[in-house]
């Protein structure tokens, strides 16, 4: 069983395997911090995404690399957004999406898919069925990260959908450690949604 799960790493440079494991650890730490509504979600996420940008570029997984590059940028934005306060009160607490934000989310999703399709066409990467799935997942994760930075509870729904898709996707691509990471991501995201929902229910919000 172990050989079946990890046989794809035969021939991989040792430092790449170590980097993937480090990226997984910081990725899990980041999602756990997000579940706890802790600002450390962003610095830990930045470390993980930077490592993945390097690895995914090396593995020629441009869609996934684009996702992580975007995560890096949005982590910086989210870090700033979450620290904004009015006096002693957090300026942007956990909340639900407004109608305007739902429209923006739909636009981000659509434009992201168009962008990834263009990139894949330019580099002739539509060679397997997973490339087509990549475009869809990238759109989901772009919206999810934007919602996370905005502290919107719906971000967890996007993560759950994307994470479930990525579990078999990354295993098929040959990255078992990352596939396992997404299994744990899914579990944390489910409980993250419940925890944020509990916080939201106890705090009146202005729509």
């Amino acid at each position: 069983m172990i050989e079946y799960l990890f046989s794809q790493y035969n021939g991989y440079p040792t430092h790449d395997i170590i980097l993937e494991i480090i990226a997984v650890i910081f990725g899990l730490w980041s999602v756990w911090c997000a579940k706890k509504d802790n600002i450390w979600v962003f610095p830990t996420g930045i470390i993980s995404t930077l490592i993945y940008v390097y690895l995914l570029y090396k593995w020629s997984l441009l869609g996934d690399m684009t996702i992580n590059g975007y995560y890096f940028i949005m982590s910086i934005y989210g870090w700033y957004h979450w620290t904004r306060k009015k006096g002693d009160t957090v300026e942007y607490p956990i909340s639900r999406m407004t109608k305007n934000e739902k429209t923006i989310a739909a636009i981000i999703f659509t434009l992201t898919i168009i962008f990834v399709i263009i990139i894949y066409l330019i580099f002739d990467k539509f060679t397997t069925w997973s490339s087509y799935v990549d475009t869809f997942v990238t759109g989901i994760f772009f919206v999810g990260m934007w919602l996370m930075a905005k502290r919107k509870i719906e971000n967890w729904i996007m993560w759950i959908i994307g994470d479930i898709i990525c579990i078999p996707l990354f295993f098929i691509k040959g990255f078992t450690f990352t596939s396992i990471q997404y299994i744990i991501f899914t579990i944390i995201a489910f409980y993250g949604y419940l925890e944020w929902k509990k916080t939201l229910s106890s705090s009146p919000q202005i729509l």
Side-chain angles (χ1 to χ4, degrees):
M1 182 65 175
I2 297 297
E3 183 178 352
Y4 172 72
L5 289 175
F6 298 99
S7 60
Q8 57 265 61
Y9 287 99
N10 291 333
Y12 274 40
T14 302
H15 69 275
D16 280 0
I17 298 175
I18 293 173
L19 281 175
E20 185 183 354
I21 293 173
I22 293 173
V24 166
I25 292 172
F26 275 93
L28 291 172
W29 186 5
S30 177
V31 175
W32 180 260
C33 289
K35 174 181 176 292
K36 294 296 183 180
D37 194 30
N38 188 304
I39 194 68
W40 276 91
V41 57
F42 297 113
T44 52
I46 286 172
I47 294 173
S48 178
T49 54
L50 279 177
I51 294 174
Y52 268 119
V53 165
Y54 164 75
L55 290 175
L56 293 166
Y57 174 77
K58 192 172 182 179
W59 297 334
S60 297
L61 297 173
L62 301 182
D64 298 310
M65 184 192 75
T66 302
I67 291 175
N68 280 273
Y70 171 78
Y71 283 174
F72 173 75
I73 295 171
M74 289 305 294
S75 291
I76 295 175
Y77 167 75
W79 198 346
Y80 163 74
H81 198 72
W82 279 35
T83 55
R84 293 178 64 179
K85 292 184 178 182
K86 290 182 178 179
D88 294 328
T89 304
V90 175
E91 188 172 354
Y92 294 99
I94 295 173
S95 61
R96 295 188 184 278
M97 294 172 68
T98 62
K99 289 183 178 180
N100 184 53
E101 287 167 337
K102 289 178 181 179
T103 300
I104 295 174
I107 292 173
I108 291 174
F109 179 77
T110 303
L111 291 179
T112 299
I113 288 181
I114 293 173
F115 173 75
V116 175
I117 288 175
I118 292 172
I119 294 296
Y120 269 56
L121 288 174
I122 291 174
F123 291 94
D124 193 26
K125 292 297 181 179
F126 280 118
T127 55
T128 63
W129 64 268
S130 63
S131 299
Y132 295 93
V133 179
D134 273 344
T135 61
F136 178 70
V137 173
T138 303
I140 290 176
F141 282 156
F142 267 45
V143 174
M145 190 63 199
W146 178 70
L147 293 175
M148 171 69 75
K150 299 281 287 183
R151 229 176 193 145
K152 301 296 177 178
I153 191 173
E154 290 85 356
N155 85 87
W156 291 114
I157 297 174
M158 304 306 292
W159 293 128
I160 291 170
I161 295 172
D163 291 344
I164 290 174
I165 296 173
C166 282
I167 293 169
L169 191 62
F170 272 92
F171 180 74
I172 292 170
K173 289 178 179 179
F175 310 113
T176 301
F177 288 118
T178 301
S179 179
I180 293 172
Q181 173 187 240
Y182 277 104
I183 294 175
I184 302 173
F185 275 175
T186 304
I187 297 170
I188 296 176
F190 174 74
Y191 284 102
Y193 175 80
L194 295 180
E195 195 159 324
W196 278 37
K197 185 178 181 181
K198 182 178 179 181
T199 300
L200 189 59
S201 299
S202 63
S203 305
Q205 63 172 325
I206 299 174
L207 299 177

